[in-house]
Amino acid sequence: SAVISQKPSRDICQRGTSLTIQCQVDSQVTMMFWYRQQPGQSLTLIATANQGSEATYESGFVIDKFPISRPNLTFSTLTVSNMSPEDSSIYLCSAGTDYEQYFGPGTRLTVT
Amino acid sequence: DAKTTQPPSMDCAEGRAANLPCNHSTISGNEYVYWYRQIHSQGPQYIIHGLKNNETNEMASLIITEDRKSSTLILPHATLRDTAVYYCIVSVAGNQGGKLIFGQGTELSVKP
């Protein structure tokens, strides 16, 4: 198994600003992903974080809004740029190997 | 990715077996059935996965029909701590580019 930690755990931000969320895994993993979970909803996959190359984004998500970095096998960041109240959500990082994915506790973001 | 169909909610008495069904009639030959659950305010937790054989681990059992078009997750002795949203997902393995696309899941309420 893998233990995932995220920073910050929560934040309140003003519209128009950006927030970078960090995800750290306690062991080397092949896959890392970023999800968004809006209030009362299921999880939506934002992108696959690829080590050393550009992330692969799902339909409806773009790099300019959600830039992602993954400099090594255990660390990734997601930036939520030019925030609006609609970006208020929980953002979750996950990591795994061939079959199992492990999820972080999430970052609860409120945009005012 | 193949889609799944799950009942939106189920109840189960504490100590009884919880049987959660999932339909995945368009599953491909190389796609696995994965089950995750999300307890309120936590990140999703991996439960079990299978390809075509029935699987059992310390958390649950997974029964997959012979035609692979449906499956059932069994929690043998449900406790109050098993109250959560349970997600059935079909996907290829991670080393083949698999990713988890979450549906709405089944909200299981375990009652005393």
Side-chain angles (χ1 to χ4, degrees), chain B residues 55-70:
Chain B
E55 302 288 344
T56 296
N57 62 20
E58 65 278 4
M59 289 183 67
S61 295
L62 173 61
I63 308 299
I64 303 174
T65 58
E66 190 169 346
D67 64 7
R68 302 209 322 126
K69 293 184 177 182
S70 66

Side-chain angles (χ1 to χ4, degrees), chain A residues 14 17-18 36 39 50 53 74 79 88 91 94 96-97 100 102 106:
Chain A
Q14 291 190 341
T17 63
S18 299
R36 179 175 73 184
N50 301 308
S53 64
T74 62
T79 299
S88 296
Y91 292 86
S94 75
T97 54
E100 303 171 23
Y102 300 91

Side-chain angles (χ1 to χ4, degrees), chain A:
Chain A
S1 65
V3 177
I4 319 294
S5 59
Q6 288 185 230
K7 291 181 182 179
S9 59
R10 59 177 62 225
D11 208 341
I12 301 173
C13 302
Q14 291 190 341
R15 70 174 66 205
T17 63
S18 299
L19 176 71
T20 296
I21 302 168
Q22 298 180 7
C23 177
Q24 180 72 55
V25 189
D26 70 342
S27 58
Q28 291 190 349
V29 291
T30 52
M31 306 176 296
M32 292 186 76
F33 302 90
W34 287 97
Y35 293 82
R36 179 175 73 184
Q37 187 168 30
Q38 296 176 304
Q41 301 297 314
S42 181
L43 285 81
T44 301
L45 180 63
I46 297 172
T48 303
N50 301 308
Q51 188 209 350
S53 64
E54 191 171 289
T56 304
Y57 290 85
E58 297 298 308
S59 176
F61 297 95
V62 294
I63 188 172
D64 290 346
K65 176 67 175 177
F66 298 101
I68 289 170
S69 77
R70 188 181 173 191
N72 57 51
L73 289 174
T74 62
F75 184 78
S76 178
T77 66
L78 167 74
T79 299
V80 185
S81 303
N82 189 23
M83 288 184 284
S84 67
E86 292 72 33
D87 294 320
S88 296
S89 288
I90 298 173
Y91 292 86
L92 299 106
C93 167
S94 75
T97 54
D98 294 340
Y99 301 106
E100 303 171 23
Q101 279 192 38
Y102 300 91
F103 286 78
T107 295
R108 184 179 296 272
L109 171 62
T110 302
V111 183
T112 60

